[in-house]
Amino acid sequence: MTRVGAVDCGTNSIRLLVADVDESGALTDVVRRTEVVRLGYGVDRTGVIDVGAMERTLRQTSEYAVQCREHSVERVRFVATSASRDARNASDFVAGVEQAFAATGFDVSPEVVSGDVEADLSFTGATGDLVAGGVAGPYLVVDLGGGSTELVRGTDHVEAARSVDVGCVRIFERHLRSDPPTDAEIAAATRDVAAALDRAEEVVDLAGIATVVGLAGSITTVTAHALRLTAYEPERIHLATLSPAAHREASQGLLHMTTADRAALGFMHPGRVDVIGAGALVWHDVLGRVLERSPDAQVVTSEHDILDGIALSCSR
């Protein structure tokens, strides 16, 4: 048994998983945390990480480093995604992470991974429970983040993957400025997503997909809405199987709500209230495109994702 620490630092949130990994590769959670820090705030517009956002993220990083030491973690891997790929001052962020972990005795440097590596980690983390449960492939794993969305096709391994620059924070900041968004704003955002899906389809074949696997906060939140949950219940969301129509209907509902109405939903994380409409729009349109190519595809939501893939990679 190996105790590992995995950190996934994305555009919208930073997450920690401390887990025990046995010889078969099975994960047992010790600590699983998510904090919305909005590291990618304004990066699409300015090209740099906002000073306040970086401070928030590094404070949380220091707390995660302390938890890794308290739980006697043997190995830590810190993966940074879209915002850290794009920002001109990413080196300042890297130095801050290294200092935070060095203060607790770890030699950890954040890996600013490519979209392909991100896609591979997401696929590994997402599909283990599906395979064990007999859920049919081929799978299309959709990891909808703050700055980018990864589409990964495969069954027992990755066959094709593409990362495109449409995510809940990026689409919100580019287009959805009104509350609720106007038809013109939604149309502009939809054009952006359609162009991104065109690029994705140059690499990832969407025909013949048996199961679409939805990952990350936007999709789990849409799932909670489709399930009519009154509080966020990960055990009900994980491996929930709903029709694409149910997901698209729930997505439309969240997109057209006011911020106040979203905030009143019992399952809504406060850090997602403003950007969830954009995430829902992306998810709605991804499913629409998949249904054009694979009309019989089912949709399964997974609470296990890139974070689990990072943890598994630590044990190898």
Side-chain angles (χ1 to χ4, degrees):
M1 191 78 75
T2 304
R3 179 159 291 184
V4 301
V7 181
D8 169 37
C9 185
T11 303
N12 199 46
S13 62
I14 184 169
R15 302 184 299 151
L16 170 69
L17 174 60
V18 175
D20 291 327
V21 187
D22 68 18
E23 292 182 355
S24 72
L27 284 172
T28 302
D29 287 12
V30 177
V31 174
R32 191 182 286 262
R33 294 182 56 180
T34 299
E35 275 75 32
V36 174
V37 291
R38 201 65 65 82
L39 179 65
Y41 172 77
V43 169
D44 192 53
R45 175 176 48 84
T46 67
V48 298
I49 298 172
D50 175 78
V51 173
M54 191 179 299
E55 289 177 351
R56 285 194 302 274
T57 306
L58 292 177
R59 279 198 302 272
Q60 198 61 58
T61 297
S62 295
E63 187 175 323
Y64 285 178
V66 169
Q67 279 205 285
C68 286
R69 173 53 58 210
E70 290 175 345
H71 288 283
S72 301
V73 165
E74 299 173 45
R75 304 172 192 166
V76 179
R77 187 178 185 187
F78 188 116
V79 171
T81 54
S82 182
S84 300
R85 283 200 301 263
D86 300 341
R88 291 195 300 273
N89 59 343
S91 60
D92 295 337
F93 174 69
V94 170
V97 171
E98 291 173 343
Q99 291 167 12
F101 275 95
T104 55
F106 291 101
D107 181 13
V108 174
S109 183
E111 301 171 53
V112 184
V113 300
S114 69
D116 287 343
V117 171
E118 189 174 350
D120 187 65
L121 291 168
S122 295
F123 186 87
T124 299
T127 57
D129 285 350
L130 277 72
V131 172
V135 178
Y139 308 118
L140 178 72
V141 174
V142 181
D143 188 348
L144 202 171
S148 63
T149 296
E150 284 66 51
L151 293 95
V152 192
R153 180 184 176 126
T155 302
D156 54 2
H157 65 277
V158 174
E159 297 167 4
R162 187 68 181 264
S163 178
V164 289
D165 288 337
V166 289
C168 61
V169 175
R170 200 183 296 267
I171 290 295
F172 169 72
E173 291 184 350
R174 282 181 183 172
H175 299 296
L176 305 185
R177 299 180 179 88
S178 302
D179 184 20
T182 66
D183 289 345
E185 290 169 349
I186 292 170
T190 298
R191 287 193 293 272
D192 246 14
V193 176
L197 291 174
D198 289 344
R199 293 191 295 275
E201 283 199 275
E202 294 171 359
V203 177
V204 182
D205 185 3
L206 301 183
I209 297 295
T211 305
V212 182
V213 187
L215 314 183
S218 288
I219 296 174
T220 60
T221 302
V222 170
T223 304
H225 192 45
L227 290 170
R228 295 179 171 83
L229 300 184
T230 56
Y232 194 87
E233 299 180 57
E235 68 282 357
R236 291 188 60 188
I237 292 168
H238 184 53
L239 301 186
T241 302
L242 295 166
S243 69
H247 276 272
R248 299 187 84 213
E249 181 181 353
S251 295
Q252 285 289 296
L254 289 169
L255 172 61
H256 291 282
M257 282 184 185
T258 64
T259 300
D261 287 341
R262 292 180 195 140
L265 296 169
F267 56 78
M268 184 67 64
H269 191 295
R272 298 198 189 283
V273 171
D274 55 347
V275 299
I276 186 59
L281 182 149
V282 175
W283 182 227
H284 174 277
D285 290 0
V286 168
L287 288 178
R289 182 69 67 93
V290 172
L291 287 174
E292 290 175 6
R293 314 291 189 248
S294 300
D296 296 325
Q298 63 175 337
V299 181
V300 177
T301 304
S302 177
E303 286 276 351
H304 295 178
D305 51 28
I306 187 172
L307 191 60
D308 301 74
I310 296 167
L312 288 168
S313 75
C314 289
S315 67
R316 294 168 189 160

